[in-house]
Amino acid sequence: MRTSDSAIDTHCPYCALQCGMRLRPEPGGATVAVEERADFPVNRGALCGKGRTAPAVLSSRVRLTQPLVRTHAGQLEPATWEEALDAVAEGLSRTGRTHGPDAVGVFGGGGLTNEKAYALGKFARVALRTSQIDYNGRFCMSSAAAAHQRAFGLDRGLPFPLADIPRTGCVILVGSNLAETMPPALRYLTELKAGGGTLIVIDPRRTRTAEQADLHLAPRPGTDLALALGLLHLIVAEGRTDEEFIAARTTGWEEARAAAMAHWPELVERITGIPVPRLREAVALFCAPESAMVLTARGPEQQSKGTDTVGAWINLCLATGRAGRPLSGYGCLTGQGNGQGGREHGQKADQLPGYRKLTDPAARAHVAEVWGVDPDSLPGPGRSAYELLDALGTDVKALLLMGSNPVVSAPRAGHIEDRIRSLDFLAVADVVLSETAALADVVLPVTQWAEETGTTTNLEGRVLLRRRALTPPPGVRSDLDVLHGLAARLGVEKGFPTEPEEVFEELRRASAGGPADYSGITYARIEAEQGVFWPCPAGPEGAEGTEGPPGTERLFLDRFATDDGRARFVPVSHRDAAEVPDADYPLLLTTGRVVAQYQSGAQTRRVDELNAAAPGPFVELHPRLAARIGAVEGSPLAVTSRRGRAVAPARITDTIRADTVFMPFHWPGEGRANTLTNPALDPTSRMPEFKVCAVRVEPA
């Protein structure tokens, strides 16, 4: 493993903050050390433990360094790259010839760079001619994206930079534990409070983030929609609406107001478990300052009514004039490293690059021209992520998977593991032998963050450049090399370059004029400006080097992205979660992350320091519940849902509701939390209901 002689400025491989860091060769040049990069505005030098230890996964001791092909004896054995790519091309093309192109599926990831996500979407539609492509970002913030589109006409996680948060008057943080999921971002909340602002945290657990709050509301899981409607009811009843803003910049208020008024405070208290005086306190804190924000994360979004839930929080912002104005607005805290960019450029089932709709004839024509194909040859929309995984082995018989580990991360994971095992053919490209890769017919070892150049788009909509700092080990190739080699074997000799900047230049052209317009962004501009916010059109003269129109740091200040420029209220009403407790399953399970692990843990579980901090799964429960069932701290507990059973040690704490248990979702095996979770889908976003299901708990 070789390095350059000088330090390289780049970004962390994990969450959507995409913290700036500097990589410096260590003596001997075999490894790199992570240094703080104080000049980068998002994290200002701060790094969490995952970022500091990220180089550990670059070690050949823990990562894949040669292709693996499953033999007739059923074992994965080393193979040459030519043998492995031949086997993948044959497996995919044989399935397509026998069963039709839609029998071949592609599953991507929210950690892929923009270049790789773009190339993967193009590969599915041009080389494989399949409609069956989606990605694990569907599990991340698709409900917020759908609500954004519905209300504002455009989806960008945050419509303002993170730096605006400490300058607003009040923040309502819904279903996020920033202290553990994005530790460097917690400073924005502490700075908010230091400057006289107030923080309201809504979470069924009193997390490290909730401990920072001026007001913590702990609703019953699955009732966030009722809570938002109850707060809006009080805002109307107390005369706190901004009628001038509503009249000038919105539509649909009458219907939305009528829906909210059906959720009177006492009813909302019965649904959520939050006393009416606390609801009134929240309204007073939110409405007192001139500016305020609502920020949501997976808590309210990963529900079978997630789009409506986010829509209710957006209605709250619109009704009080807290949107489309400086230091105010609704925003979503994206989770995965490139969860924002990953869904903008074509690996989502219903979208083309530039966030264009696959069903729009003009969008198809534009992208087809860039790709040099007939618009009619492009397949239509395919299945969403869970629906695609659920169809494996039946309608979809072969799968190419990049940068995802659904055996651990998918809801109803035992069922999804069975579906993956039933495939005729599975190829996985990954940096480690994940639990999903271990089931593959062919495993392709690919480069990772420090070994490749490429762009990501962080939670602010800031397009960033990761720079290559290391030469990858012999036997490892980039995902772009993989797609180039497979396309050639499938008869598409051109159109899949291996150089990231060449791919980005094509992405710029494909996105031009679309909602997520990157045409004015270049690698040179990203480096010069510490990232460029989209949309950033090229302008009439184009964009070369460091020149071009500025990016859009703050959205919606003049108009919203709808046809008439007005934001749209959407009337929504509370409904129960897909599963509610009953005599057989009397408790609620909610899931989430811990600070030392990330997503399915495929990479972080290979880092000794992180495993020492978070060695395994656990079941968090209240002392009253523990006493009732005879649970003892550290003793094994069995958690059972209608989908399966998981076992993990008890962690007894009074920081969780007595009717709720919590499990982190980073581990496979008997402690796999997603064995239990419910795949009930939001009707709009197709987001599964990870955050609430009915369970019973007993000593194992």
Side-chain angles (χ1 to χ4, degrees), residues 64 66-71 75-77 79-92 94 399-401 424-430 433 436-445 482 486:
L64 294 165
Q66 56 186 336
L68 303 173
V69 174
R70 196 168 299 279
T71 66
Q75 302 299 313
L76 284 172
E77 299 289 348
T80 68
W81 267 99
E82 296 307 305
E83 291 169 339
L85 290 174
D86 286 347
V88 175
E90 171 57 24
L92 299 179
R94 180 178 64 247
L399 183 70
L400 172 64
L401 185 147
D424 292 348
F425 181 81
L426 172 64
V428 173
D430 210 332
L433 190 67
T436 305
L439 303 180
D441 296 286
V442 180
V443 183
L444 304 173
V482 169
L486 292 178

Side-chain angles (χ1 to χ4, degrees), residues 240-324:
R240 297 179 183 268
T241 56
D242 187 333
E243 296 297 329
E244 182 179 349
F245 177 88
I246 291 170
R249 300 201 59 191
T250 73
T251 63
W253 170 231
E254 295 300 325
E255 295 83 356
R257 179 176 60 186
M261 296 312 287
H263 297 76
W264 59 94
E266 292 76 14
L267 172 64
V268 171
E269 177 178 329
R270 289 200 299 273
I271 294 171
T272 65
I274 298 174
V276 172
R278 305 275 279 181
L279 301 176
R280 294 188 185 279
E281 184 181 357
V283 167
L285 290 174
F286 183 68
C287 293
E290 292 186 3
S291 60
M293 299 174 179
V294 173
L295 306 177
T296 69
R298 307 301 79 75
E301 297 162 20
Q302 288 181 326
Q303 299 185 28
S304 59
K305 52 182 182 295
T307 302
D308 284 354
T309 301
V310 172
W313 290 107
I314 291 175
N315 287 350
L316 193 75
C317 292
L318 295 176
T320 53
R322 270 65 184 288

Side-chain angles (χ1 to χ4, degrees), residues 87 474 479 511 563 605 608 671:
D479 296 272
S511 74
D563 291 341
R605 285 187 277 110
D608 292 341

Side-chain angles (χ1 to χ4, degrees), residues 376-467:
D376 292 338
S377 71
L378 298 178
R383 293 175 172 87
S384 71
Y386 181 80
E387 291 164 309
L388 173 56
L389 295 173
D390 189 41
L392 299 181
T394 53
D395 295 332
V396 178
K397 298 181 180 296
L399 183 70
L400 172 64
L401 185 147
M402 284 187 165
S404 187
N405 188 17
V407 166
V408 179
S409 63
R412 197 186 174 196
H415 169 72
I416 295 304
E417 180 177 347
D418 289 342
R419 301 317 317 142
I420 289 172
R421 289 179 181 276
S422 72
L423 282 164
D424 292 348
F425 181 81
L426 172 64
V428 173
D430 210 332
V431 301
V432 297
L433 190 67
S434 70
E435 287 73 20
T436 305
L439 303 180
D441 296 286
V442 180
V443 183
L444 304 173
V446 291
T447 52
Q448 48 184 311
W449 61 290
E451 301 163 348
E452 59 189 15
T453 294
T455 61
T456 62
T457 306
N458 82 344
L459 76 173
E460 307 165 295
R462 188 193 301 252
V463 184
L464 304 167
L465 183 63
R466 289 185 190 162
R467 297 175 63 204

